[in-house]
């Protein structure tokens, strides 16, 4: 009994934090299920009605286009980053050469870089390459800005792989590329998983490059499209909430199914085990 | 014939040692270059060269079309006289301070709750992390509605304390407060994860030993947990400082830097100068200041780390 009373403050704090972190999501989802008139009558009621009208109108306004653009860009960029970063991490973590440290630090320093310092030149570049206002304009900046953290995660992991494996392959006559493909890459799966999750979520949510490099609605990614919706939905708040719910859904679903992996992935290189 | 061939072969092997190291090092150079090439090309093209260009542009008065006029350091001189620049810098500092003194402690509290002897941990840990998952744009739009003067839940909440119809985002000081609150909401879960991993790593024996010595929960926390978490607190602070310098999305979505530059940041101001006013040269100067500040912070941290390690080596 005494012990149970002692725990009351703990439960109170835990519940306050639960409401603080979770309530906005309940509000978002429950508002998205209300009709407009109901929202004005009872703006605070939770799950008082369940209409899918808003979701329908959101799709009619072109949300699916934003979805497709976001999927296209994030998937291509993430796959490219995984491959390019893994290739670069191999010599950086497992071969001795003069500029190793310099090249490594140059990449890693990118994690500290404010994107703004590259914004205007990247904008000019995409204009001069004729990519401005296409989804393809985003690929280069997305891959480049994801490289530092990815190389950081992968080199850390690769250093742990014992050299004996590599030497055995070398004796069998494997070239460095052979070793990379057949020995290193298969062992890299957990680290690549981290890289995949971290970059996918970040690129899925990326805003500023999209804001600068894309102007027509049909080429917008989800975050930019949502921002664009804001104007059109200023009087239709349940509609806007439906759009927000849909945009957040894929990541929330992935999270519910593999919570631990997502948490570990999002913590990136910051959590070592 | 056969002896001749043999002779050639031995001659060849005799020469080889002189040639081989060179050829081998050329081979090695080619291999390394091939592995690094894709990453370096993309990185130079989209990161390193643009930084250099930004520096260059910052010496020009340029509207983004055609050629600009070289003005030397004029953009930087103007920047130092620009009140909005100083407001932005102050606001960036507020973001840094909030991150370090509110987000990190809150993250620590959340981590402690996840390891507390209570039921329902799975639910708590699942939900606590939600805010960090969704896009900043979605977070911003959601909170703008929750802060709405008429229909927002926040005003309903504060009306209990006698505040009526606060127009959160239309006045400078309340707007800054409101956005900082949202930043805390969004990023505390990230620090929670870092702290949780660090606390789990603390050996159980330390606590057992302390218990035998009669230590209570508070003593254990302040004498064992907190000191051992110091490295995590330091690295979290670094992430917070660097992240706060880059802050943009949430302010752009929620306030656009307004009202009247009240929530302007270096990031939002640079964006406005570049892509709204088309003062590309001036914007480049702001961007380069951001880069410079991030570089200084990074170098300082590296130097401190180096110094600490060196001291550690002698101890």
């Amino acid at each position: 009994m005494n012990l149970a009373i002692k725990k009351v403050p703990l439960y109170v704090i835990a519940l306050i934090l639960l409401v603080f972190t979770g309530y906005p999501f309940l509000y978002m989802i429950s508002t998205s299920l209300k009709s407009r008139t109901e929202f004005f009558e009872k703006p605070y009621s939770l799950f008082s009605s369940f209409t899918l009208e808003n979701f329908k109108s959101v799709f009619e306004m072109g949300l699916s286009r934003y979805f497709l653009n976001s999927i296209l860009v994030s998937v291509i960029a993430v796959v490219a980053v995984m491959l390019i970063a893994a290739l670069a991490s191999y010599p950086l973590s497992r071969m001795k050469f003069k500029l190793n440290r310099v090249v490594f630090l140059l990449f890693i320093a990118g994690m500290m870089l404010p994107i703004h310092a590259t914004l205007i030149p990247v904008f000019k570049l995409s204009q001069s390459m004729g990519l401005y206002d296409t989804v393809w304009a985003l690929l280069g900046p997305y891959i480049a800005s994801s490289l530092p953290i990815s190389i950081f995660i992968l080199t850390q992991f690769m250093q742990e792989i014992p050299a004996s494996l590599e030497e055995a392959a070398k004796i069998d006559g494997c070239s460095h590329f052979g070793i990379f493909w057949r020995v290193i890459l298969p062992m890299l799966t957990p680290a690549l998983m981290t890289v995949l999750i971290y970059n996918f979520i970040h690129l899925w949510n990326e805003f500023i490059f999209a804001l600068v490099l894309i102007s027509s609605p049909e080429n917008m990614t989800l975050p930019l499209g949502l921002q664009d919706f804001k104007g059109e939905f200023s009087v239709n708040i349940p509609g806007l909430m439906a759009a927000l719910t849909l945009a957040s859904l894929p990541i929330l679903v992935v999270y519910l199914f593999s919570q631990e992996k997502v948490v570990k992935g999002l913590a990136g290189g910051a959590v070592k085990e | 014939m056969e002896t001749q061939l043999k002779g050639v072969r031995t001659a060849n092997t005799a020469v080889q040692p002189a040639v081989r190291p060179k050829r081998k090092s050329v081979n090695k150079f080619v291999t390394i270059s091939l592995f690094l090439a894709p990453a370096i090309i993309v990185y130079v093209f989209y990161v390193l060269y643009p930084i250099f260009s930004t520096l260059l542009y910052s010496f020009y008065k340029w509207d983004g079309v055609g050629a600009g006029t070289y003005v030397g350091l004029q953009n930087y001189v103007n920047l130092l006289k620009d009140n909005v620049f100083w407001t932005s810098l102050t606001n960036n500092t507020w973001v840094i301070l909030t991150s370090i003194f509110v987000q990190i402690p809150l993250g620590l509290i959340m981590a402690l709750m996840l390891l507390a002897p209570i039921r329902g941990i799975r639910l708590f840990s699942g939900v606590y992390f939600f805010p960090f998952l969704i896009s900043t744009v979605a977070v911003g739009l959601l909170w703008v509605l929750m802060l709405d003067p008429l229909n927002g839940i926040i005003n309903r909440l504060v009306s209990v304390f006698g505040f009526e119809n606060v127009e959160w985002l239309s006045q400078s000081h309340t707007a800054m407060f409101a956005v900082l609150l949202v930043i805390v909401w969004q990023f505390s879960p990230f620090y929670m994860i870092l702290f949780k991993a660090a606390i789990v790593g603390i050996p159980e024996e330390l606590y057992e030993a302390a218990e035998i010595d009669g230590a209570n929960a508070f003593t254990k926390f302040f004498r064992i947990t907190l000191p051992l978490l110091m490295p995590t607190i330091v690295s979290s602070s670094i992430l917070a400082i660097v992240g706060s310098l880059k802050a943009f999305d949430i302010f752009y979505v929620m306030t656009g830097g307004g009202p009247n530059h009240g929530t302007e940041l270096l990031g939002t101001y640079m964006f406005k100068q570049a892509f709204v006013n088309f003062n590309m040269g001036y914007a480049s100067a702001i961007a380069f200041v951001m880069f410079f500040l991030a570089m200084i912070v990074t170098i300082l941290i590296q130097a401190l780390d180096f110094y600490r390690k060196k001291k550690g080596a002698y101890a």
Side-chain angles (χ1 to χ4, degrees):
Chain A
M1 186 62 203
N2 199 5
L3 209 78
I5 289 173
K6 261 186 173 171
K7 281 183 186 170
V8 169
L10 286 181
Y11 278 107
V12 171
I13 299 172
L15 284 172
I16 289 174
L17 287 172
L18 187 74
V19 172
F20 179 59
T21 50
Y23 174 80
F25 290 92
L26 289 183
Y27 173 79
M28 174 176 85
I29 296 168
S30 108
T31 307
S32 76
L33 297 168
K34 284 178 187 171
S35 70
R36 256 198 272 179
T37 43
E38 211 203 336
F39 176 72
F40 282 115
E41 280 162 15
K42 297 181 275 181
Y44 312 116
S45 67
L46 285 179
F47 298 105
S48 50
S49 72
F50 298 90
T51 167
L52 294 175
E53 243 355 83
N54 300 310
F55 290 90
K56 216 179 105 194
S57 64
V58 162
F59 269 110
E60 278 163 7
M61 291 189 68
L63 193 83
S64 45
R65 182 74 211 208
Y66 303 150
F67 252 101
L68 288 179
N69 289 337
S70 269
I71 291 173
L72 185 74
V73 174
S74 357
V75 168
I76 298 179
V78 167
V79 171
V81 165
M82 282 163 63
L83 184 68
I84 295 175
L87 278 170
S89 301
Y90 178 69
L92 289 176
S93 61
R94 305 187 71 81
M95 289 169 84
K96 273 191 188 149
F97 58 100
K98 234 189 209 161
L99 290 174
N100 189 325
R101 193 81 195 140
V102 176
V103 175
F104 179 71
L105 285 179
L106 219 52
F107 275 122
I108 298 311
M111 284 198 279
M112 304 292 201
L113 178 80
I115 281 309
H116 285 77
T118 67
L119 228 45
I120 293 173
V122 167
F123 169 72
K124 296 306 286 180
L125 271 173
S126 71
Q127 276 188 333
S128 56
M129 288 190 295
L131 292 176
Y132 176 74
D133 198 19
T134 68
V135 282
W136 310 115
L138 297 174
L139 275 183
Y142 280 9
I143 295 171
S145 63
S146 308
L147 278 177
I149 182 86
S150 310
I151 289 178
F152 180 69
I153 295 169
L154 292 174
T155 46
Q156 273 197 329
F157 191 86
M158 273 194 213
Q159 273 161 1
E160 309 290 313
I161 299 175
S164 53
L165 280 169
E166 205 174 321
E167 261 134 43
K170 226 181 255 175
I171 290 163
D172 292 344
C174 249
S175 67
H176 275 292
F177 285 99
I179 296 170
F180 174 76
W181 276 115
R182 279 181 233 137
V183 182
I184 304 291
L185 211 53
M187 298 188 69
L188 218 53
T189 321
L192 284 172
M193 222 24 220
T194 305
V195 170
L196 180 127
I197 291 168
Y198 183 93
N199 289 320
F200 185 80
I201 293 182
H202 277 259
L203 295 181
W204 182 263
N205 293 337
E206 201 282 336
F207 181 58
I208 187 162
F209 275 125
L211 180 65
V212 168
L213 298 177
I214 286 174
S215 59
S216 343
E218 70 263 26
N219 296 322
M220 285 181 179
T221 55
L222 261 177
L224 193 58
L226 289 180
Q227 166 75 9
D228 205 44
F229 264 7
K230 186 175 79 172
E232 302 185 41
F233 277 108
S234 53
V235 286
N236 182 4
I237 287 164
L240 185 57
M241 288 295 125
L244 295 184
T245 305
L246 281 173
S248 315
L249 214 56
I251 288 178
L252 288 179
V253 168
V254 172
Y255 174 69
L256 290 179
F257 279 103
S258 58
Q259 199 173 318
E260 240 125 74
K261 279 208 180 86
V262 172
V263 167
K264 206 180 139 231
L266 267 181
V271 178
K272 277 184 228 159
E273 274 164 86
Chain B
M1 185 73 179
E2 204 170 56
T3 41
Q4 219 179 344
L5 251 180
K6 226 179 209 168
V8 171
R9 203 177 285 160
T10 37
N12 254 346
T13 40
V15 176
Q16 252 171 8
V19 178
R20 196 191 274 157
K22 200 173 176 191
R23 179 175 298 164
K24 209 176 168 189
S25 73
V26 169
N27 267 341
K28 191 180 160 195
F29 176 78
V30 171
T31 312
I32 291 172
S33 308
L34 285 174
F35 270 109
L36 286 173
I40 289 185
I41 291 169
V42 178
Y43 196 62
V44 167
F45 199 72
Y46 282 105
V47 176
L48 297 185
Y49 164 73
I51 294 171
F52 178 73
S53 300
T54 297
L55 175 63
L56 217 62
Y57 291 159
S58 74
F59 300 129
Y60 285 82
K61 187 175 163 50
W62 182 45
D63 61 1
V65 192
T69 342
Y70 180 79
V71 292
L73 290 173
Q74 196 55 48
N75 284 328
Y76 292 95
V77 173
N78 292 345
L79 204 57
L80 292 179
K81 288 190 257 172
D82 185 344
N83 281 333
V84 181
F85 170 72
W86 292 107
T87 310
S88 309
L89 209 57
T90 315
N91 286 338
N92 270 95
T93 314
W94 275 114
V95 180
I96 293 176
L97 292 177
T98 310
S99 305
I100 294 179
F101 294 107
V102 184
Q103 265 175 49
I104 292 179
L106 187 62
L108 177 57
I109 292 173
M110 287 162 90
L112 288 170
M113 292 322 294
L114 297 188
L115 298 162
I118 50 175
R119 281 157 170 275
I121 293 291
R122 268 194 77 81
L123 173 73
F124 294 130
S125 73
V127 175
Y128 286 2
F129 199 64
F130 272 177
F132 192 59
L133 287 170
I134 67 171
S135 82
T136 305
V137 175
V139 169
L141 294 176
L142 179 58
W143 277 89
V144 167
L145 291 178
M146 297 198 351
L147 290 161
D148 187 82
L150 287 177
N151 294 318
I153 185 81
I154 303 289
N155 267 349
R156 185 151 143 133
L157 212 68
V158 298
S159 71
V160 176
F161 302 103
F163 297 98
E164 291 296 331
N165 296 331
V166 186
E167 300 207 11
W168 292 99
L169 299 174
S170 328
Q171 304 153 279
S172 291
H173 58 288
T174 50
M176 197 63 199
F177 176 81
V179 184
L180 289 175
L181 170 79
V182 178
I183 291 182
V184 168
W185 181 79
Q186 193 186 8
F187 289 103
S188 295
F190 175 68
Y191 299 103
M192 168 185 86
I193 297 303
L194 301 191
F195 282 121
K196 192 184 165 205
I199 296 172
V200 169
I202 297 175
E204 195 59 34
E205 296 91 62
L206 290 177
Y207 294 105
E208 283 161 14
E211 239 159 75
I212 292 168
D213 292 344
N216 61 24
F218 281 97
T219 329
K220 279 192 280 184
F221 176 73
F222 285 105
R223 291 292 174 81
I224 301 173
T225 317
L226 207 55
L228 286 173
L229 285 180
M230 242 17 226
T232 315
I233 293 173
V234 171
S235 58
S236 302
S237 308
I238 295 169
L239 290 171
I241 294 171
V242 174
S244 306
L245 276 175
K246 300 187 208 180
F248 173 82
D249 297 9
I250 196 75
F251 282 84
Y252 181 84
V253 173
M254 289 186 71
T255 65
N260 194 23
H261 300 298
T263 58
E264 203 76 80
L265 299 179
L266 292 176
T268 53
Y269 193 44
M270 180 272 167
F271 178 83
K272 268 184 207 166
Q273 288 293 354
F275 300 103
V276 180
N277 303 340
F278 291 97
N279 286 328
M280 295 278 188
Y282 195 56
S284 295
I286 304 172
F288 198 75
V289 168
M290 292 174 78
F291 170 73
F292 187 72
L293 290 175
M295 202 174 68
I296 299 260
V297 170
T298 311
I299 290 173
L300 271 179
I301 292 162
Q302 288 290 329
L304 280 175
D305 196 47
F306 181 75
Y307 177 72
R308 196 173 50 89
K309 273 187 189 143
K310 211 172 150 191
K311 226 172 87 181
Y314 287 121

